[in-house]
Amino acid sequence: MATRKDVVVETIDKHIRILRLNRPDSFNAFGDNLLPELEQGLRDADADPNIVITVITGTGKFFSSGADVKQAATRLPLDKVEKPIPPSIELLRLLIDHTKVLVIALNGPAVGGGAAWFLGVADLVLCSDTAYAQVPFSALALVPEQGCGVLFPQSVGVRRATEFLMLGRQLSAQEMEEWGLVNRIYPSATFQTDYLSYLRTNLALNDATSLLETKRLIAGPLREGRMLAVFRAQDALAEMLASGRPGKRFLEKKGRLGRARGKL
């Protein structure tokens, strides 16, 4: 019996590499092998001279729900975290340093790290009309992860980013477009074919080398500030984890999820 891949890799027309998060039963949460397989997929796409565009999308109704609450609650003691397990700084480095055009295709909702880790560093964001973004960090006694406290204001401005990151406001697809967080919205029923058509059309119209050089000129000057923001966010997150408060909140959320599923 074949082992299921947590990230499915597909190459389209030689020049588009799709990395599809593939844990639909957990809404593509960051558990099992999803993060290391995504990291390897990014490395492979970066090293392939034929690839111009790298797409990260999800299987099922969600793009990603972020941290796997069930696994996180198991790892986090109630009163104290002796050795907090950090999020994957290497993944953020790979996203920030990715030399291909990085596209996030939101097939559905992006929650927590599913929004915070990807939307701020993407070159283009394309989304389904059923997608939304939300980062309930404060509700879980956490802080904005992986530098998104700096990355989101670059896209939407300081006050909008503050409401989104601090207060956990849920943004619809239409609001994300109005705020400048996404480039295009497509109907959910035709999302996969629509976003691929958009990418294919633009690849045919534009010179590939020019696309990659333009990406380098835009993203290159931002690199140092983005990486510094990632490390500063990690310091703040470690302090919160060491306090023990996130562990209690994750266990409470796990209990609520269990009760909700029991009623289904």
Side-chain angles (χ1 to χ4, degrees):
M1 183 175 179
T3 303
R4 186 201 69 189
K5 288 286 188 180
D6 287 339
V7 175
V8 176
V9 179
E10 182 181 5
T11 301
I12 305 291
D13 301 338
K14 290 179 60 176
H15 302 305
I16 301 173
R17 178 68 51 84
I18 298 177
L19 308 177
R20 192 181 307 278
L21 311 182
N22 190 42
R23 299 185 71 228
D25 293 343
S26 64
F27 304 117
N28 299 320
F30 300 160
D32 297 334
N33 294 315
L34 186 144
L35 292 183
E37 288 183 15
L38 181 57
E39 290 172 7
Q40 190 58 53
L42 287 166
R43 291 189 191 97
D44 292 343
D46 222 19
D48 191 329
N50 292 314
I51 299 301
V52 179
I53 297 174
T54 301
V55 180
I56 301 176
T57 190
T59 301
K61 296 181 178 180
F62 258 67
F63 172 72
S64 176
S65 59
D68 190 309
V69 172
K70 182 177 180 181
Q71 293 185 14
T74 302
R75 290 199 306 264
L76 295 174
L78 279 175
D79 299 318
K80 188 176 182 181
V81 176
E82 297 289 348
K83 296 180 180 179
I85 300 174
S88 178
I89 290 178
E90 173 64 3
L91 174 59
L92 262 291
R93 187 196 68 77
L94 289 167
L95 291 168
I96 290 169
D97 287 345
H98 200 62
T99 62
K100 311 306 169 100
V101 179
L102 181 61
V103 176
I104 302 301
L106 293 179
N107 56 295
V111 178
W117 294 20
F118 299 100
L119 300 185
V121 295
D123 299 312
L124 296 169
V125 180
L126 310 174
C127 80
S128 158
D129 57 9
T130 61
Y132 64 80
Q134 186 175 26
V135 287
F137 292 136
S138 296
L140 294 171
L142 297 171
V143 293
E145 298 174 343
Q146 303 291 36
C148 65
V150 171
L151 300 174
F152 273 82
Q154 291 175 350
S155 298
V156 303
V158 173
R159 288 177 182 82
R160 283 175 167 173
T162 298
E163 186 177 14
F164 179 62
L165 296 173
M166 182 187 293
L167 304 182
R169 174 175 170 175
Q170 184 181 115
L171 297 178
S172 68
Q174 290 72 27
E175 287 173 319
M176 286 191 283
E177 185 181 41
E178 291 170 4
W179 283 22
L181 199 56
V182 305
N183 299 90
R184 295 283 188 279
I185 301 174
Y186 299 108
S188 59
T190 56
F191 177 68
Q192 299 296 331
T193 55
D194 286 348
Y195 90 73
L196 275 176
S197 176
Y198 171 80
L199 296 178
R200 283 168 162 160
T201 297
N202 281 283
L203 270 177
L205 289 173
N206 297 291
D207 177 78
T209 301
S210 179
L211 291 176
L212 297 177
E213 279 297 290
T214 301
K215 186 258 171 68
R216 183 181 67 83
L217 291 170
I218 293 171
L222 301 175
R223 196 262 179 192
E224 183 176 354
R226 286 176 166 182
M227 285 304 304
L228 180 59
V230 170
F231 283 104
R232 284 178 172 170
Q234 183 55 47
D235 285 344
L237 180 61
E239 290 294 325
M240 294 300 292
L241 289 173
S243 75
R245 291 194 296 275
K248 294 177 182 179
R249 297 240 173 192
F250 267 103
L251 285 175
E252 290 170 2
K253 184 171 183 180
K254 179 185 175 185
R256 290 195 298 270
L257 288 173
R259 290 192 293 272
R261 286 172 180 166
K263 294 177 181 179
L264 296 177

